[in-house]
Amino acid sequence: MVLPDCERVAEIRIRGWQTAYRGLMPQSYLDALSVAEDAARRRERFGRGGGAIVNLVAERDGEVVGWACHGPYRDDEGRGDGIGSAELYAIYVDPERVGAGVGRALLMESTARCTAAGHERMLLWVLKGNTGARRFYEQAGFGPDGGEEPFEVDGVAVPEVRYARTLTCPGAGARR
């Protein structure tokens, strides 16, 4: 991802929220999401993290059609159960491209990079009620690990569950 991609990434992210979270979050909240505000946040955050935070985009015919972001696990609760793990912070695909393999390609690239960086596992948070996303992650080898967090949007509980996947180091199990 490069800085000029921020506007398109924001558009994909906001449209992704408005599509995937319909019925899971208050519609008034989803309707109020702003591509311009999100793009400004993307630009302001771009390049932070000293290279530890990786933003990837998927392109088709020169157009950005998906975005993923990963980096070190954020342990906001101080539990320490994610020490040394990577976290998939976000993955969104243009709603018109869902089901075309874009998300799978982004997830594979993120897991490959995290494996190459030496992480033993990758964690992510997903809305408990988002059965489509949960199925997507399960097909990629992730599964719930028992972690749950309350998440509230405009006074409505939207709980998240944590998914985990063990990452295999390149060459592990190979004979020399």
Side-chain angles (χ1 to χ4, degrees), residues 128-148:
K128 193 172 195 173
N130 191 344
T131 56
R134 292 180 72 171
R135 192 170 34 254
F136 169 77
Y137 293 125
E138 289 165 6
Q139 290 172 348
F142 287 83
D145 73 350
E148 290 198 27

Side-chain angles (χ1 to χ4, degrees), residues 14 36 38 45 55 66 84 87 135-136 141 166 172:
I14 295 301
D38 193 71
R45 292 179 183 165
N55 286 279
E87 180 177 355
R135 192 170 34 254
F136 169 77
T166 300

